Amino acid sequence: MKQLSDRKLLKDIEEHREMMIYLANTTSFSHPTVVDISTKLDLLLNKYEKSCSELIIK
């Protein structure tokens, strides 16, 4: 079950990263939408890092 959620998390991370890069290239890095996606990407990355660190601890 955890493996499926990690795969979904990685997919979400990649989608947010691609969208952020696309929007930053078509608008600017400081555009509110880019900042919002960047914030969401940070949260996803933190969640993935926490998930990975829990595996190492166990």
Side-chain angles (χ1 to χ4, degrees):
M1 183 69 131
K2 180 155 176 53
Q3 208 171 26
L4 286 176
S5 63
D6 284 349
R7 284 190 193 150
K8 166 113 174 63
L9 193 51
L10 286 172
K11 183 177 183 249
D12 288 347
I13 288 169
E14 185 61 22
E15 288 173 356
H16 278 76
R17 186 187 69 81
E18 288 176 3
M19 182 59 71
M20 185 184 72
I21 291 169
Y22 171 78
L23 288 173
N25 286 328
T26 58
T27 59
S28 71
F29 284 98
S30 60
H31 189 279
T33 305
V34 176
V35 172
D36 183 52
I37 291 174
S38 176
T39 301
K40 289 176 183 172
L41 178 58
D42 286 344
L43 292 172
L44 290 169
L45 288 168
N46 288 338
K47 188 173 179 180
Y48 184 73
E49 181 181 23
K50 182 180 179 192
S51 174
C52 289
S53 67
E54 287 174 356
L55 287 175
I56 293 170
I57 292 172
K58 289 181 180 181

Short mmCIF file of all heavy atoms in Angstrom, two decimals:
data_model
loop_
_atom_site.label_atom_id
_atom_site.label_comp_id
_atom_site.label_asym_id
_atom_site.label_seq_id
_atom_site.Cartn_x
_atom_site.Cartn_y
_atom_site.Cartn_z
N MET A 1 0.82 -1.20 0.00
CA MET A 1 0.00 0.00 0.00
C MET A 1 0.87 1.26 0.00
O MET A 1 0.60 2.19 -0.72
CB MET A 1 -0.94 -0.04 1.21
CG MET A 1 -1.89 1.12 1.26
SD MET A 1 -3.11 1.01 -0.03
CE MET A 1 -4.57 1.26 0.86
N LYS A 2 1.91 1.25 0.83
CA LYS A 2 2.80 2.41 0.91
C LYS A 2 3.46 2.69 -0.43
O LYS A 2 3.65 3.82 -0.82
CB LYS A 2 3.85 2.20 1.99
CG LYS A 2 4.80 3.35 2.12
CD LYS A 2 5.36 3.38 3.50
CE LYS A 2 6.38 4.45 3.68
NZ LYS A 2 5.98 5.77 3.32
N GLN A 3 3.80 1.61 -1.15
CA GLN A 3 4.46 1.76 -2.44
C GLN A 3 3.56 2.51 -3.43
O GLN A 3 4.03 3.35 -4.18
CB GLN A 3 4.80 0.38 -2.98
CG GLN A 3 5.99 0.36 -3.89
CD GLN A 3 6.42 -1.05 -4.22
OE1 GLN A 3 5.62 -1.98 -4.18
NE2 GLN A 3 7.67 -1.22 -4.54
N LEU A 4 2.27 2.22 -3.41
CA LEU A 4 1.33 2.91 -4.29
C LEU A 4 1.23 4.38 -3.95
O LEU A 4 1.22 5.23 -4.84
CB LEU A 4 -0.06 2.26 -4.21
CG LEU A 4 -0.22 0.92 -4.91
CD1 LEU A 4 -1.62 0.36 -4.65
CD2 LEU A 4 0.02 1.05 -6.39
N SER A 5 1.18 4.70 -2.67
CA SER A 5 1.09 6.10 -2.28
C SER A 5 2.38 6.85 -2.62
O SER A 5 2.34 8.02 -3.00
CB SER A 5 0.75 6.24 -0.80
OG SER A 5 1.76 5.68 0.00
N ASP A 6 3.53 6.16 -2.51
CA ASP A 6 4.79 6.79 -2.90
C ASP A 6 4.84 7.05 -4.40
O ASP A 6 5.33 8.08 -4.84
CB ASP A 6 5.99 5.93 -2.48
CG ASP A 6 6.28 6.02 -0.99
OD1 ASP A 6 5.71 6.89 -0.32
OD2 ASP A 6 7.08 5.19 -0.50
N ARG A 7 4.33 6.12 -5.18
CA ARG A 7 4.28 6.32 -6.63
C ARG A 7 3.39 7.50 -6.99
O ARG A 7 3.74 8.31 -7.85
CB ARG A 7 3.77 5.06 -7.33
CG ARG A 7 4.80 3.97 -7.41
CD ARG A 7 4.31 2.86 -8.30
NE ARG A 7 5.17 1.70 -8.12
CZ ARG A 7 4.78 0.47 -8.25
NH1 ARG A 7 3.54 0.19 -8.58
NH2 ARG A 7 5.62 -0.52 -8.08
N LYS A 8 2.25 7.59 -6.34
CA LYS A 8 1.35 8.72 -6.59
C LYS A 8 2.02 10.03 -6.19
O LYS A 8 1.93 11.03 -6.90
CB LYS A 8 0.05 8.53 -5.80
CG LYS A 8 -0.82 9.77 -5.72
CD LYS A 8 -2.10 9.61 -6.46
CE LYS A 8 -3.06 10.75 -6.29
NZ LYS A 8 -2.63 12.02 -6.80
N LEU A 9 2.69 10.01 -5.07
CA LEU A 9 3.40 11.19 -4.59
C LEU A 9 4.48 11.62 -5.59
O LEU A 9 4.59 12.80 -5.92
CB LEU A 9 4.00 10.90 -3.22
CG LEU A 9 4.51 12.06 -2.39
CD1 LEU A 9 3.49 13.16 -2.26
CD2 LEU A 9 4.94 11.56 -1.03
N LEU A 10 5.24 10.67 -6.09
CA LEU A 10 6.26 10.98 -7.09
C LEU A 10 5.65 11.53 -8.38
O LEU A 10 6.18 12.45 -8.99
CB LEU A 10 7.11 9.74 -7.39
CG LEU A 10 8.11 9.36 -6.31
CD1 LEU A 10 8.73 8.00 -6.64
CD2 LEU A 10 9.19 10.42 -6.16
N LYS A 11 4.51 10.98 -8.77
CA LYS A 11 3.81 11.47 -9.96
C LYS A 11 3.34 12.91 -9.74
O LYS A 11 3.51 13.78 -10.61
CB LYS A 11 2.62 10.57 -10.28
CG LYS A 11 1.88 10.95 -11.53
CD LYS A 11 0.76 9.96 -11.82
CE LYS A 11 0.07 10.32 -13.10
NZ LYS A 11 -1.28 10.80 -12.94
N ASP A 12 2.79 13.18 -8.57
CA ASP A 12 2.34 14.54 -8.24
C ASP A 12 3.53 15.51 -8.21
O ASP A 12 3.42 16.64 -8.70
CB ASP A 12 1.63 14.57 -6.88
CG ASP A 12 0.27 13.92 -6.91
OD1 ASP A 12 -0.26 13.66 -8.02
OD2 ASP A 12 -0.28 13.66 -5.83
N ILE A 13 4.64 15.07 -7.67
CA ILE A 13 5.84 15.91 -7.62
C ILE A 13 6.28 16.28 -9.04
O ILE A 13 6.54 17.44 -9.35
CB ILE A 13 6.98 15.21 -6.86
CG1 ILE A 13 6.66 15.19 -5.36
CG2 ILE A 13 8.33 15.88 -7.12
CD1 ILE A 13 7.57 14.30 -4.53
N GLU A 14 6.34 15.28 -9.90
CA GLU A 14 6.78 15.52 -11.28
C GLU A 14 5.81 16.45 -12.02
O GLU A 14 6.24 17.35 -12.75
CB GLU A 14 6.92 14.19 -12.02
CG GLU A 14 7.48 14.32 -13.41
CD GLU A 14 8.88 14.91 -13.46
OE1 GLU A 14 9.61 14.86 -12.46
OE2 GLU A 14 9.25 15.42 -14.54
N GLU A 15 4.51 16.25 -11.83
CA GLU A 15 3.52 17.10 -12.48
C GLU A 15 3.65 18.56 -12.01
O GLU A 15 3.59 19.48 -12.83
CB GLU A 15 2.11 16.58 -12.24
CG GLU A 15 1.80 15.32 -13.00
CD GLU A 15 0.46 14.71 -12.63
OE1 GLU A 15 -0.23 15.22 -11.73
OE2 GLU A 15 0.10 13.70 -13.27
N HIS A 16 3.80 18.74 -10.72
CA HIS A 16 3.96 20.11 -10.19
C HIS A 16 5.26 20.75 -10.68
O HIS A 16 5.28 21.93 -11.03
CB HIS A 16 3.91 20.09 -8.66
CG HIS A 16 2.54 20.05 -8.10
ND1 HIS A 16 1.78 18.90 -8.11
CD2 HIS A 16 1.77 21.02 -7.53
CE1 HIS A 16 0.61 19.17 -7.56
NE2 HIS A 16 0.57 20.44 -7.20
N ARG A 17 6.32 19.97 -10.72
CA ARG A 17 7.61 20.49 -11.19
C ARG A 17 7.51 20.93 -12.65
O ARG A 17 7.93 22.04 -12.99
CB ARG A 17 8.69 19.41 -11.04
CG ARG A 17 10.10 19.90 -11.36
CD ARG A 17 11.10 18.76 -11.35
NE ARG A 17 10.88 17.85 -12.46
CZ ARG A 17 11.31 18.06 -13.70
NH1 ARG A 17 11.98 19.14 -13.99
NH2 ARG A 17 11.08 17.18 -14.65
N GLU A 18 6.92 20.09 -13.48
CA GLU A 18 6.79 20.42 -14.90
C GLU A 18 5.92 21.67 -15.10
O GLU A 18 6.23 22.54 -15.91
CB GLU A 18 6.22 19.25 -15.68
CG GLU A 18 7.20 18.11 -15.84
CD GLU A 18 6.60 16.90 -16.52
OE1 GLU A 18 5.43 16.93 -16.94
OE2 GLU A 18 7.32 15.89 -16.65
N MET A 19 4.81 21.74 -14.37
CA MET A 19 3.91 22.89 -14.49
C MET A 19 4.60 24.17 -14.02
O MET A 19 4.47 25.22 -14.64
CB MET A 19 2.62 22.65 -13.69
CG MET A 19 1.62 23.78 -13.81
SD MET A 19 1.09 24.13 -15.49
CE MET A 19 0.08 22.72 -15.82
N MET A 20 5.34 24.07 -12.92
CA MET A 20 6.05 25.24 -12.41
C MET A 20 7.06 25.75 -13.42
O MET A 20 7.14 26.96 -13.68
CB MET A 20 6.75 24.91 -11.09
CG MET A 20 7.41 26.10 -10.44
SD MET A 20 8.34 25.65 -8.95
CE MET A 20 9.72 24.79 -9.67
N ILE A 21 7.83 24.85 -14.01
CA ILE A 21 8.83 25.25 -15.01
C ILE A 21 8.15 25.88 -16.22
O ILE A 21 8.57 26.93 -16.71
CB ILE A 21 9.69 24.03 -15.43
CG1 ILE A 21 10.58 23.61 -14.26
CG2 ILE A 21 10.52 24.34 -16.67
CD1 ILE A 21 11.26 22.26 -14.46
N TYR A 22 7.08 25.25 -16.70
CA TYR A 22 6.36 25.78 -17.86
C TYR A 22 5.84 27.19 -17.57
O TYR A 22 6.05 28.12 -18.35
CB TYR A 22 5.22 24.84 -18.25
CG TYR A 22 4.32 25.45 -19.30
CD1 TYR A 22 4.72 25.48 -20.63
CD2 TYR A 22 3.10 26.00 -18.96
CE1 TYR A 22 3.91 26.06 -21.60
CE2 TYR A 22 2.28 26.57 -19.91
CZ TYR A 22 2.69 26.60 -21.24
OH TYR A 22 1.89 27.19 -22.19
N LEU A 23 5.15 27.34 -16.45
CA LEU A 23 4.57 28.65 -16.12
C LEU A 23 5.63 29.71 -15.86
O LEU A 23 5.47 30.86 -16.25
CB LEU A 23 3.64 28.53 -14.91
CG LEU A 23 2.32 27.81 -15.18
CD1 LEU A 23 1.57 27.60 -13.87
CD2 LEU A 23 1.47 28.59 -16.16
N ALA A 24 6.71 29.32 -15.22
CA ALA A 24 7.80 30.27 -14.96
C ALA A 24 8.41 30.75 -16.27
O ALA A 24 8.78 31.92 -16.40
CB ALA A 24 8.86 29.64 -14.08
N ASN A 25 8.49 29.88 -17.25
CA ASN A 25 9.04 30.25 -18.55
C ASN A 25 8.08 31.10 -19.38
O ASN A 25 8.52 31.87 -20.24
CB ASN A 25 9.46 29.01 -19.35
CG ASN A 25 10.73 28.38 -18.82
OD1 ASN A 25 11.60 29.07 -18.31
ND2 ASN A 25 10.82 27.08 -18.93
N THR A 26 6.79 30.95 -19.13
CA THR A 26 5.81 31.72 -19.90
C THR A 26 5.36 32.98 -19.18
O THR A 26 4.81 33.88 -19.82
CB THR A 26 4.58 30.86 -20.25
OG1 THR A 26 3.99 30.37 -19.06
CG2 THR A 26 4.96 29.71 -21.16
N THR A 27 5.57 33.05 -17.87
CA THR A 27 5.22 34.26 -17.12
C THR A 27 6.49 34.78 -16.45
O THR A 27 7.32 35.37 -17.11
CB THR A 27 4.11 33.98 -16.08
OG1 THR A 27 4.54 32.97 -15.17
CG2 THR A 27 2.83 33.53 -16.75
N SER A 28 6.61 34.53 -15.17
CA SER A 28 7.83 34.88 -14.43
C SER A 28 7.90 34.01 -13.18
O SER A 28 6.90 33.43 -12.77
CB SER A 28 7.81 36.36 -14.03
OG SER A 28 6.86 36.57 -13.01
N PHE A 29 9.09 33.96 -12.60
CA PHE A 29 9.25 33.15 -11.38
C PHE A 29 8.49 33.75 -10.20
O PHE A 29 8.17 33.04 -9.25
CB PHE A 29 10.74 33.01 -11.02
CG PHE A 29 11.46 32.03 -11.89
CD1 PHE A 29 12.20 32.45 -12.97
CD2 PHE A 29 11.38 30.67 -11.64
CE1 PHE A 29 12.86 31.54 -13.78
CE2 PHE A 29 12.02 29.74 -12.44
CZ PHE A 29 12.77 30.18 -13.52
N SER A 30 8.19 35.02 -10.27
CA SER A 30 7.48 35.67 -9.16
C SER A 30 5.97 35.76 -9.38
O SER A 30 5.25 36.30 -8.54
CB SER A 30 8.06 37.06 -8.92
OG SER A 30 7.90 37.85 -10.08
N HIS A 31 5.49 35.21 -10.49
CA HIS A 31 4.05 35.22 -10.76
C HIS A 31 3.35 34.44 -9.64
O HIS A 31 3.82 33.38 -9.22
CB HIS A 31 3.77 34.57 -12.11
CG HIS A 31 2.37 34.74 -12.58
ND1 HIS A 31 1.36 33.92 -12.13
CD2 HIS A 31 1.81 35.63 -13.43
CE1 HIS A 31 0.22 34.29 -12.69
NE2 HIS A 31 0.47 35.33 -13.49
N PRO A 32 2.22 34.95 -9.15
CA PRO A 32 1.53 34.29 -8.03
C PRO A 32 1.21 32.81 -8.26
O PRO A 32 1.32 32.00 -7.33
CB PRO A 32 0.23 35.10 -7.87
CG PRO A 32 0.57 36.44 -8.44
CD PRO A 32 1.56 36.19 -9.53
N THR A 33 0.86 32.43 -9.46
CA THR A 33 0.56 31.03 -9.75
C THR A 33 1.81 30.17 -9.64
O THR A 33 1.77 29.06 -9.11
CB THR A 33 -0.06 30.88 -11.15
OG1 THR A 33 -1.20 31.73 -11.25
CG2 THR A 33 -0.47 29.45 -11.42
N VAL A 34 2.93 30.69 -10.12
CA VAL A 34 4.20 29.96 -10.02
C VAL A 34 4.60 29.80 -8.55
O VAL A 34 5.02 28.72 -8.13
CB VAL A 34 5.32 30.67 -10.82
CG1 VAL A 34 6.65 29.96 -10.64
CG2 VAL A 34 4.94 30.73 -12.30
N VAL A 35 4.44 30.85 -7.79
CA VAL A 35 4.76 30.79 -6.36
C VAL A 35 3.86 29.78 -5.66
O VAL A 35 4.33 28.99 -4.83
CB VAL A 35 4.64 32.19 -5.71
CG1 VAL A 35 4.80 32.12 -4.20
CG2 VAL A 35 5.67 33.14 -6.33
N ASP A 36 2.59 29.76 -6.01
CA ASP A 36 1.65 28.82 -5.40
C ASP A 36 2.04 27.38 -5.73
O ASP A 36 2.07 26.51 -4.85
CB ASP A 36 0.23 29.11 -5.90
CG ASP A 36 -0.81 28.22 -5.25
OD1 ASP A 36 -0.83 28.14 -4.01
OD2 ASP A 36 -1.60 27.60 -6.00
N ILE A 37 2.35 27.11 -6.99
CA ILE A 37 2.75 25.75 -7.38
C ILE A 37 4.07 25.37 -6.71
O ILE A 37 4.25 24.24 -6.27
CB ILE A 37 2.84 25.63 -8.92
CG1 ILE A 37 1.44 25.73 -9.52
CG2 ILE A 37 3.51 24.32 -9.33
CD1 ILE A 37 1.41 25.77 -11.02
N SER A 38 4.97 26.32 -6.61
CA SER A 38 6.26 26.06 -5.95
C SER A 38 6.05 25.69 -4.48
O SER A 38 6.69 24.77 -3.97
CB SER A 38 7.15 27.29 -6.06
OG SER A 38 8.34 27.11 -5.35
N THR A 39 5.14 26.37 -3.83
CA THR A 39 4.82 26.08 -2.43
C THR A 39 4.24 24.67 -2.31
O THR A 39 4.62 23.91 -1.41
CB THR A 39 3.83 27.11 -1.88
OG1 THR A 39 4.42 28.41 -2.00
CG2 THR A 39 3.48 26.85 -0.43
N LYS A 40 3.33 24.33 -3.21
CA LYS A 40 2.73 22.99 -3.19
C LYS A 40 3.79 21.93 -3.47
O LYS A 40 3.79 20.86 -2.85
CB LYS A 40 1.59 22.89 -4.20
CG LYS A 40 0.38 23.69 -3.78
CD LYS A 40 -0.70 23.67 -4.83
CE LYS A 40 -1.86 24.54 -4.41
NZ LYS A 40 -2.85 24.71 -5.47
N LEU A 41 4.70 22.22 -4.39
CA LEU A 41 5.79 21.30 -4.70
C LEU A 41 6.67 21.08 -3.48
O LEU A 41 7.06 19.96 -3.17
CB LEU A 41 6.61 21.83 -5.88
CG LEU A 41 7.82 21.01 -6.31
CD1 LEU A 41 7.42 19.59 -6.68
CD2 LEU A 41 8.53 21.69 -7.47
N ASP A 42 6.98 22.15 -2.77
CA ASP A 42 7.77 22.03 -1.54
C ASP A 42 7.09 21.11 -0.53
O ASP A 42 7.74 20.26 0.10
CB ASP A 42 8.00 23.40 -0.89
CG ASP A 42 9.01 24.24 -1.61
OD1 ASP A 42 9.78 23.69 -2.44
OD2 ASP A 42 9.05 25.46 -1.36
N LEU A 43 5.79 21.26 -0.38
CA LEU A 43 5.04 20.41 0.56
C LEU A 43 5.09 18.95 0.13
O LEU A 43 5.28 18.06 0.96
CB LEU A 43 3.59 20.88 0.66
CG LEU A 43 3.37 22.23 1.33
CD1 LEU A 43 1.91 22.66 1.19
CD2 LEU A 43 3.78 22.19 2.79
N LEU A 44 4.93 18.71 -1.17
CA LEU A 44 5.00 17.34 -1.67
C LEU A 44 6.39 16.74 -1.46
O LEU A 44 6.53 15.58 -1.07
CB LEU A 44 4.65 17.30 -3.16
CG LEU A 44 3.19 17.58 -3.51
CD1 LEU A 44 3.03 17.78 -5.01
CD2 LEU A 44 2.29 16.45 -3.03
N LEU A 45 7.42 17.53 -1.73
CA LEU A 45 8.79 17.05 -1.54
C LEU A 45 9.07 16.75 -0.07
O LEU A 45 9.72 15.75 0.26
CB LEU A 45 9.79 18.07 -2.07
CG LEU A 45 9.86 18.20 -3.59
CD1 LEU A 45 10.65 19.44 -4.00
CD2 LEU A 45 10.45 16.94 -4.21
N ASN A 46 8.58 17.59 0.81
CA ASN A 46 8.75 17.36 2.25
C ASN A 46 8.03 16.08 2.68
O ASN A 46 8.55 15.29 3.48
CB ASN A 46 8.25 18.55 3.07
CG ASN A 46 9.15 19.74 2.95
OD1 ASN A 46 10.32 19.64 2.62
ND2 ASN A 46 8.58 20.92 3.19
N LYS A 47 6.84 15.88 2.14
CA LYS A 47 6.08 14.67 2.45
C LYS A 47 6.82 13.43 1.96
O LYS A 47 6.91 12.42 2.67
CB LYS A 47 4.70 14.76 1.79
CG LYS A 47 3.74 13.69 2.18
CD LYS A 47 2.38 13.98 1.59
CE LYS A 47 1.37 12.91 1.95
NZ LYS A 47 0.06 13.17 1.38
N TYR A 48 7.39 13.50 0.77
CA TYR A 48 8.14 12.36 0.23
C TYR A 48 9.40 12.11 1.04
O TYR A 48 9.72 10.96 1.35
CB TYR A 48 8.48 12.60 -1.24
CG TYR A 48 9.17 11.43 -1.87
CD1 TYR A 48 8.46 10.27 -2.17
CD2 TYR A 48 10.53 11.46 -2.16
CE1 TYR A 48 9.09 9.17 -2.73
CE2 TYR A 48 11.17 10.36 -2.72
CZ TYR A 48 10.44 9.22 -3.01
OH TYR A 48 11.07 8.14 -3.56
N GLU A 49 10.09 13.15 1.40
CA GLU A 49 11.30 13.00 2.22
C GLU A 49 10.97 12.35 3.56
O GLU A 49 11.68 11.46 4.03
CB GLU A 49 11.98 14.35 2.43
CG GLU A 49 13.25 14.26 3.24
CD GLU A 49 13.91 15.61 3.47
OE1 GLU A 49 13.21 16.63 3.40
OE2 GLU A 49 15.11 15.61 3.74
N LYS A 50 9.88 12.77 4.17
CA LYS A 50 9.46 12.19 5.44
C LYS A 50 9.13 10.71 5.27
O LYS A 50 9.52 9.87 6.08
CB LYS A 50 8.24 12.94 5.99
CG LYS A 50 7.78 12.41 7.32
CD LYS A 50 6.58 13.16 7.84
CE LYS A 50 6.16 12.55 9.16
NZ LYS A 50 4.86 13.04 9.60
N SER A 51 8.46 10.39 4.18
CA SER A 51 8.11 9.00 3.89
C SER A 51 9.37 8.15 3.73
O SER A 51 9.45 7.05 4.27
CB SER A 51 7.27 8.94 2.62
OG SER A 51 7.02 7.63 2.24
N CYS A 52 10.35 8.68 3.03
CA CYS A 52 11.61 7.95 2.83
C CYS A 52 12.39 7.80 4.14
O CYS A 52 12.95 6.74 4.40
CB CYS A 52 12.48 8.66 1.79
SG CYS A 52 11.84 8.53 0.14
N SER A 53 12.40 8.82 4.93
CA SER A 53 13.15 8.75 6.19
C SER A 53 12.50 7.77 7.15
O SER A 53 13.18 7.12 7.95
CB SER A 53 13.29 10.13 6.83
OG SER A 53 12.04 10.62 7.26
N GLU A 54 11.19 7.62 7.10
CA GLU A 54 10.51 6.64 7.95
C GLU A 54 10.92 5.22 7.56
O GLU A 54 11.03 4.34 8.41
CB GLU A 54 9.00 6.81 7.85
CG GLU A 54 8.49 8.04 8.56
CD GLU A 54 7.01 8.29 8.34
OE1 GLU A 54 6.38 7.56 7.57
OE2 GLU A 54 6.50 9.25 8.93
N LEU A 55 11.17 4.99 6.28
CA LEU A 55 11.61 3.67 5.82
C LEU A 55 13.00 3.35 6.35
O LEU A 55 13.30 2.23 6.72
CB LEU A 55 11.62 3.60 4.30
CG LEU A 55 10.27 3.52 3.61
CD1 LEU A 55 10.45 3.58 2.09
CD2 LEU A 55 9.54 2.25 4.00
N ILE A 56 13.86 4.35 6.39
CA ILE A 56 15.23 4.17 6.85
C ILE A 56 15.26 3.88 8.35
O ILE A 56 15.99 3.03 8.81
CB ILE A 56 16.08 5.41 6.51
CG1 ILE A 56 16.23 5.53 5.00
CG2 ILE A 56 17.45 5.36 7.19
CD1 ILE A 56 16.83 6.83 4.52
N ILE A 57 14.40 4.56 9.09
CA ILE A 57 14.36 4.40 10.55
C ILE A 57 13.88 3.01 10.92
O ILE A 57 14.36 2.40 11.86
CB ILE A 57 13.49 5.50 11.19
CG1 ILE A 57 14.16 6.84 11.03
CG2 ILE A 57 13.22 5.19 12.66
CD1 ILE A 57 13.33 8.03 11.45
N LYS A 58 12.93 2.47 10.16
CA LYS A 58 12.35 1.15 10.49
C LYS A 58 13.27 0.06 10.20
O LYS A 58 14.10 -0.37 9.91
CB LYS A 58 11.06 0.94 9.71
CG LYS A 58 9.96 1.83 10.23
CD LYS A 58 8.70 1.57 9.48
CE LYS A 58 7.60 2.47 10.01
NZ LYS A 58 6.35 2.28 9.36
#
